[in-house]
Amino acid sequence: MKQYIKKLMVLPLVAILFFGACTDSFEEMNTNPIGISDEDLKADYQFIGVHFPQIQQMIYCNYNWGWGVNWPYQIMQNLNADIFSGYMMTPTPFAGNVNNTTYALIDGWNGSSFDYTYAYMMPAVKAVKDKSETDFPSFYAVSRVLKVLGLSRVAAQYGPIIYSQYGESKTGGEYDKESDLYNNFFTDLDEAVEALDEYVAANPDAKPFAKFDNFFGGDYQQWIKFANSLRLRLAMRIVKVAPALAKAQAEAAIEAGVFEDGDIAAIVANGYTHPVAAVSGSWGDIAMSAEMESMLEGYRDPRINAYFNAVNDKDLSDEGWVYKGIRQGIEIVDKATYGGHSLLNLQPESPAVLMTAAEVYFLRAEGAIRGWDMNGSAKELYTAGVNASFSQNGVSGADTYLSNDVYPRAYVDVKNAANSVPAISEFMNKVSPKWDDAAENEIKLQKIITQKWIAMFPEGNEAWAEYRRTGYPVLFPVVKNDSQGVIDSDNGVRRLNFSVSEKDNNPDGYAKAVQYLGGADNGATRLWWDVEGSNF
Amino acid sequence: MQRRLNWFQRGLMGAVMLLLSVGIAFAQDVTINGTVTSAEDGMPIPGVSVVQKGTTNGTITDIDGNYSITAPTGSVVAFTFVGMKAHDITVGANTTVNVNLQPDAVDLDAVVVTALGIKKKEKSLTYSTQQVGGEELTRSKDANLVNALAGKTAGVQINKNSSGVGGSTKVTIRGSRSIGNNQPLYVIDGIPMLNSVSEAPATAFGGSNDAGGRDAGDGISNLNPDDIKSINILKGPAAAALYGTQAANGVIVITTKQGVKGRSSVSFSSNTTFESVMMLPELQNDYGVKGITSWGEKGNLETYDPKEFFQTGVTSINSLSISNGGENMQTYFSYANTTSKGTIEDSGLSKHNLNLRATTKLFNDKVSIDGNINLINQSVENRPVAGGYYFNPLVGLYRFPRGNDLSAYQTNFETYDPDRNLNAQNWHNIQAEEQNPWWLTQRVQSDDERMRAITNLTIKWEVTKAFNVQVRGSYDYISDKYNHRTYATTHTALAGDNGRYITFDNRQELRYGDVLANYNKNFGDVSFTASVGASVNDSRTKSVRLDSRPKDLYYANVFNVANMQVGYVEEMNAQRQMQSLFGTAQVGFKDYLFLDVTGRNDWSSTLAYTNSMSSGFFYPSVGLTAVLSDMIEMPEWVNLGKVRGAWSKVGNDLPMYISNPLNVQGVDGNVVINSTAPFDDLKPELTSSIELGTEWNLFNNRVKFDFTYYRTNTKNQLFTLDAPAGSGYSFYYVNAGEIQNEGIEIMLGLTPIAKNDFYWKSSFNFALNRNKVIELHPDLPFFSFGDPGNANYWMRMDEGGSYGDIYGVKFERDDSGKIITDDEGLPVAGSDYEKIANINPDFNLGWNNTINYKNLTFSFLIDSRFGGDVVSMTQADLDQYGVTKVTGDARDAGFVEVDGQKFTDVEGFYSSIGGRQGITEHYVYDATNIRLREMTIGFNLPQSMLEKTKLFKGATISAVGRNLFFFYNSAPFDPDALYSTGNNLQGVDIFGMPATRSLGFNVKLNF
């Protein structure tokens, strides 16, 4: 018997030896073969490049992370900045018509720009940094430009954001004070341009980024110009709080070379479709604003055909209305009431425009009236801006347009007269397209910003930021204010509330962010660069 | 006297014996006759096996205990009967030999199959198990055999999915304990089998990528119920501890039939049942259409009966088995064919089971070999969704406005569209969640087909009488192919302009091998049994799911992969392996005191890249049993008295890849960056349990009582927490939390009548379980099972709450509890989600009865559940549409009354509180129900009639019924039916397929 017991004891020992060798394959088993490793994507720099479409598509968000497309854009930007900028208005009475449009800010929508950007854009930015910072400087440089573009748009919505400390802590996240943040933006752009300059000098014909480039087909020269143009935009943003820095950055940008007629930063290709085309065209959830109708019609602006579709409502067309916008912040009973107002003339394949030559000319025009060296007079640059916008939209008649000394048209709400705005109203933007060198700077600025506002359509994020900075163009106040006294109808919404999930998941960071904000975490608190009072 | 066999068993045994006695004609020598009686009460015993030893020559006693056998003088004839001591006689000159059989405490020495197939004496067990014989499962058959366990065991909750025949079943033993896996392990003949469900409804709307709420069926339902000899349920972690990482949720040990040496039989059984729907929503027929609702004028409307939409289902299971007990090799062969026509038009299932098992002994019976191959083919056409709003014909059917003509939409569910030259859906209100019911049954088609093979081989070498070594290997293979075809003009949220196609290939494999050495020896008063072994459990899944949504097909209504614009892909190529070493030892003293120890160390591939990789995890258990009735003098009427206790620590395996997450690729070349921080310090879920129990058999075993108390504490739940935005990740994992289940189980077996021709056996199964969430994680205020966003039903777990808490929206009330109303006098909804219900029952009670009277067998099972809540989103939705009887009655009365408060605007009331996003509190129902779960009346053809046929050795004809009616039920649906067998979406009805009542007959023949 004993010999069997001995044999019995041997068994586990044998087994242990046998197993010891076997568990070596456990690491392989616990590595998902469907996963994509850097090794798999070595060819064509795909292991870095593959993250770029995601980064680019997240900026004017229409990236599909598995939950479908278009709706993220709708809550990240369309139902806030695109409306608060005075560009658009929704005919849909979301949430019983007590929502952003009536200044009852909806956290579930408004945190999404922050949440989704950090969930889906920033991990890709970090992945590119980790893989390219030392070995592939040109890729890293482009990612830095995109990071500034993406996060400067988020910063314009909320104020302080997580930037320099991103990815440093697994359980927290330090926010950057806005004054630091803009400096960090400039540093990133500066170093990116420097790296690209170096790369182009060394490899004049190389286009390693072409496959992944949704903006410029891999042309690094264009990226350099774009980075400089972005620097100019951000410099102008802080002109009221840090005028010296603004001037220095703006002049440096011009010297390094910015967008000129024909240049444009727009997202196309790699499966990207214009989100507003779906939100407006397919869903009928966003339409022309009252201000757009009033200004484009009043100014006899031929771009109206390029921007909007004719009404699809027999009551309106019978009365002879071709275009009709909706005033924001009004009583809406059902979607049918305003559903036939002018929708946006956008197709899924339309490029999503993030920066145009026109905008850059208008920024320079503003710099010129501020006495900065902008390489041109205010009038020249203003005229160049209008011309660039006309040619961008394929319409002619810029000269005639620039001679129009006309004001915006009265706004008539056919469905509800209470929402109409007469031509004499104080809320009419009473400047004309015609330049007047003799006018005072404030009027010149109003003309410049008004034309910039028209030219930048439909990029509501930038338009809303510039409206807050300058107060132009003058917009119609809301009729229905559901903010419970928090947001003043004349001042409008100044920012979006911080993301609720940050309050829960990063309480220390959130507390610091509110402290940096310098006011309550609500829609009435002005951002660092949004200073009340005169523009000069 | 002890009788544990019912007439059915006796008939079966009789048939077997008769078969053996064929050929007896040439026998010579002495023919002896006599009567076999019980020593206990002197009553004759029918069905006693009388066999000449060493031959197949034998017979059984008739109804009066009489026998007649011819055997050579000097030969030995053995009399055996279950529950009695065997008795041998030597054939001599006497031709009349009356035999008096002594009762045997056979129960006490009965052997039970425990973990890893190790057989142990029932009385030595230190934990609770419960055995259900094969005949209990086939008496009133369900196509999924595990459903036939319902009510027959204490502490095992069986809930079937509402998608009908072929759907999966949720088996919960002693309550849910994990946010991961709560299903028990299934083991056939000592070897684990595959039982995963490849798809279950994911949201209140439907399944993956907004496909329908599909239930893909589970693994256990594939088996042929007639192949099962018995099922033993290892309820607690202590019983299952030897399975280590897989033991936390208990184990269902299935023993299948095999050929028995010296016995051959052929049996055929045919079971046909007719299923009709029950518990449809109660609808009103007085108020007519208003828009898409029925809030219109009162009128004299035609009666609207949604029942007409359903048809009578028919399920027939025909099975044949041939068992051959040769001298050298024994074989068991069976074939079963299941066809089922569903209650929904054009839906049905067809299944073939082929099973061959061969056993043999070699080398002077020292080596035994047991091989088994089981082939299964199952195809399901147009399996109905289990519920949910998408692709569900019931939504449109129930919502349809009264007074409008539904039949027009039945005959013309599609109409010709000249613009497109195709037939387009015709419905008055096409929405994503509501479409023409007949369009959905005719123009949304699916088929799933499963091919499965389970093969295994066991070789056992009996080295000495005390020591043997056994090697087992098995391969379980499942291949599923699923196609889903949605025709163009289905709502655009669910299909492209040209339709939608889903194709899903799923292959699962389980390779298992173990080696086990058993040692067994008595040293005087001390008995010692030990086993040590090692096993490898390797499972692989390869699957590809392609879905055209949110994109489209190139050409309308052409369903093949080339015609797809792939909009959604799920691909899996996964392998996981567990390597284990284990051992168990039992020391017995004087056969009345037993100490049981087990230990197992598991190395799971899911622990790769973690700190626990090399050590694995160790799972111990310890148990002690004292058979008091053998230790101390007890009154005569105590047959067995025993106390037992056990402690154990077991695990629950981890999901794959979480220690090593990678980026994955989505459609259109997008690479989705991993958003979860790798978790290199993870541990498997750990359940520690204690279990105490006592068993008493009294009055000649006519009263059997078994009581168990248990407590399990499950820690190290794997929680996913939201990472802050700035961390670089969206989520990170932690091991945390503690969930406790505490409960008691009582089994009471009675034999109130045990007369010769009248026998009544009755058993009660009582179980109660209390679940408590003791702890979550400091950063996790609650654990959410799903997203509450699109329907005000939300299953979540809060610290101090319990598993199965349902949150929803309540009426806003003032301090006195009065419902606050708005300007229009309508109730105001609370602004936050609050706890509205809990699904856990207070207790379950089953009462199972078998009564034999002469040749008749009558059995019934009353199954009941007391307490717990369910939510009906169906009722909420239909109230909003004004189609329910409740809304009609309220309109007749002129008001709705809630807690004494009257609301006179009936339409306004239901329009605001009903619907998906209404006040769910109003739609919580008590889940208490008492039902007649099973009833059968059977007739065994008497021996005299059988003899005349010269063909049958046994025949039983019975009428069977399942789920016949409710003695009590206050919910508007069957509260035990499930939308999903996963963890989420419990205790809610969302347009689930109605429960069915089945009635039919069963014929069983032995040749």
Side-chain angles (χ1 to χ4, degrees), chain B residues 54-286:
Chain B
T55 70
T56 56
N57 174 26
T59 181
I60 59 162
T61 56
D62 68 10
I63 191 84
D64 299 318
N66 298 325
Y67 75 95
S68 172
I69 188 168
T70 305
T73 44
S75 65
V76 176
V77 172
F79 293 77
T80 50
F81 187 71
V82 176
M84 297 287 177
K85 278 185 180 149
H87 186 89
D88 294 349
I89 58 162
T90 308
V91 179
N94 282 345
T95 55
T96 303
V97 181
N98 292 326
V99 175
N100 212 355
L101 291 184
Q102 298 291 331
D104 185 3
V106 76
D107 256 330
L108 310 185
D109 281 339
V111 165
V112 175
V113 179
T114 66
L116 290 167
I118 295 170
K119 291 182 179 129
K120 283 187 177 162
K121 271 192 222 169
E122 189 172 6
K123 79 169 177 186
S124 75
L125 297 184
T126 59
Y127 42 75
S128 162
T129 71
Q130 196 165 6
Q131 197 144 5
V132 178
E135 76 283 355
E136 278 283 336
L137 301 173
T138 52
R139 194 171 62 198
S140 171
K141 263 183 213 171
D142 189 290
N144 185 350
L145 67 96
V146 82
N147 289 332
L149 285 176
K152 291 171 188 165
T153 54
V156 183
Q157 209 175 327
I158 310 278
N159 290 102
K160 77 196 239 194
N161 176 281
S162 50
S163 68
V165 177
S168 61
T169 297
K170 186 180 175 83
V171 176
T172 315
I173 303 178
R174 293 184 177 171
S176 294
R177 59 180 59 77
S178 170
I179 61 164
N181 175 27
N182 283 303
Q183 290 268 18
L185 175 70
Y186 287 85
V187 169
I188 312 183
D189 297 322
I191 295 170
M193 69 163 236
L194 289 168
N195 190 50
S196 59
V197 180
S198 65
E199 189 178 2
T203 71
F205 290 80
S208 186
N209 194 25
D210 286 340
R214 170 181 181 238
D215 176 87
D218 54 17
I220 183 69
S221 63
N222 302 150
L223 302 184
N224 172 9
D226 284 307
D227 286 344
I228 309 302
K229 190 171 156 202
S230 68
I231 290 183
N232 189 28
I233 299 169
L234 308 179
K235 292 178 196 169
L242 213 40
Y243 286 106
T245 308
Q246 299 163 301
N249 303 316
V251 182
I252 295 186
V253 175
I254 297 167
T255 307
T256 65
K257 290 178 184 164
Q258 62 180 55
V260 179
K261 198 170 180 176
R263 290 184 192 174
S264 295
S265 71
V266 175
S267 75
F268 173 75
S269 109
S270 175
N271 188 83
T272 302
T273 52
F274 300 90
E275 285 88 33
S276 53
V277 294
M278 60 196 278
M279 304 288 306
L280 293 180
E282 286 189 81
L283 304 178
Q284 60 92 5
N285 271 306
D286 300 323

Side-chain angles (χ1 to χ4, degrees), chain B residues 427-463:
Chain B
W427 186 244
H428 71 107
N429 176 36
I430 297 182
Q431 299 176 19
E433 68 268 31
E434 180 187 333
Q435 306 191 60
N436 184 314
W438 291 273
W439 174 268
L440 292 177
T441 59
Q442 304 296 309
R443 293 291 174 261
V444 178
Q445 302 171 339
S446 72
D447 53 79
D448 37 316
E449 186 172 15
R450 165 166 290 192
M451 303 290 281
R452 182 171 188 182
I454 310 173
T455 61
N456 56 58
L457 184 71
T458 304
I459 301 172
K460 191 170 179 177
W461 176 31
E462 208 177 307
V463 184

Side-chain angles (χ1 to χ4, degrees), chain A residues 1 4-5 8 11-12 15-16 18-19 22-23 25-36 41 50-51 53-54 57 63-64 114 118-119 123-124 126-127 131 162 165-173 502 505-506, chain B residues 463-464 466-467 515 517 519 532 534-536 538 571-573 575-577 579-581 603-609 613 656-657 659-660 662-665 669-673 677 722-730 732:
Chain A
M1 186 51 51
Y4 293 121
I5 298 175
L8 194 88
L11 260 170
I16 286 166
F18 167 74
F19 280 70
C22 261
T23 53
S25 57
F26 276 11
E27 296 204 338
E28 193 189 328
M29 282 179 208
N30 209 30
T31 302
N32 189 354
I34 306 303
I36 293 277
L41 297 173
V50 82
H51 302 301
Q54 178 175 349
Q57 291 176 17
Y63 171 69
N64 185 355
F114 184 92
Y118 281 92
K126 184 170 184 291
K131 296 175 194 180
I162 298 167
Q165 300 299 307
Y166 175 78
E168 296 294 315
S169 158
K170 273 189 185 170
T171 51
E502 276 291 282
N505 299 327
N506 184 14
Chain B
V463 184
T464 70
F467 177 56
V515 51
Y519 180 73
V532 292
S535 71
V536 179
D538 180 295
E571 186 180 2
M572 193 147 93
N573 181 1
Q575 179 182 9
R576 68 191 300 159
Q577 196 177 85
Q579 300 177 2
S580 318
L581 285 177
W603 291 266
S604 170
S605 63
T606 54
L607 291 172
Y609 303 105
M613 168 70 187
M656 287 182 285
Y657 310 141
S659 56
N660 179 31
L662 288 182
N663 300 340
V664 293
Q665 195 174 340
N670 286 336
V671 167
V672 183
I673 297 182
D722 283 345
S727 68
Y729 293 104
S730 302
Y732 67 100

Side-chain angles (χ1 to χ4, degrees), chain B residues 262-391:
Chain B
R263 290 184 192 174
S264 295
S265 71
V266 175
S267 75
F268 173 75
S269 109
S270 175
N271 188 83
T272 302
T273 52
F274 300 90
E275 285 88 33
S276 53
V277 294
M278 60 196 278
M279 304 288 306
L280 293 180
E282 286 189 81
L283 304 178
Q284 60 92 5
N285 271 306
D286 300 323
Y287 295 88
V289 58
K290 179 184 170 190
I292 56 169
T293 71
S294 297
W295 288 109
E297 294 303 311
K298 190 166 187 169
N300 195 7
L301 308 176
E302 222 172 282
T303 304
Y304 177 85
D305 188 1
K307 209 165 183 171
E308 288 163 14
F309 175 77
F310 301 94
Q311 59 185 14
T312 301
V314 185
T315 301
S316 52
I317 307 173
N318 292 303
S319 85
L320 174 76
S321 72
I322 301 168
S323 171
N324 186 357
E327 188 62 27
N328 296 321
M329 182 181 253
Q330 300 83 43
T331 53
Y332 173 85
F333 168 83
S334 76
Y335 168 75
N337 179 334
T338 307
T339 56
S340 177
K341 186 178 94 170
T343 51
I344 300 267
E345 202 177 347
D346 283 339
S347 70
L349 168 145
S350 142
K351 182 169 75 169
H352 303 273
N353 290 71
L354 197 69
N355 186 10
L356 178 64
R357 182 164 182 182
T359 42
T360 188
K361 284 193 173 178
L362 302 169
F363 307 112
N364 291 329
D365 291 357
K366 285 282 184 206
V367 175
S368 56
I369 298 175
D370 181 355
N372 184 207
I373 179 157
N374 209 327
L375 300 176
I376 296 142
N377 171 243
Q378 174 179 293
S379 49
V380 185
E381 293 291 322
N382 300 327
R383 191 200 299 262
V385 293
Y389 293 97
Y390 290 159
F391 293 108

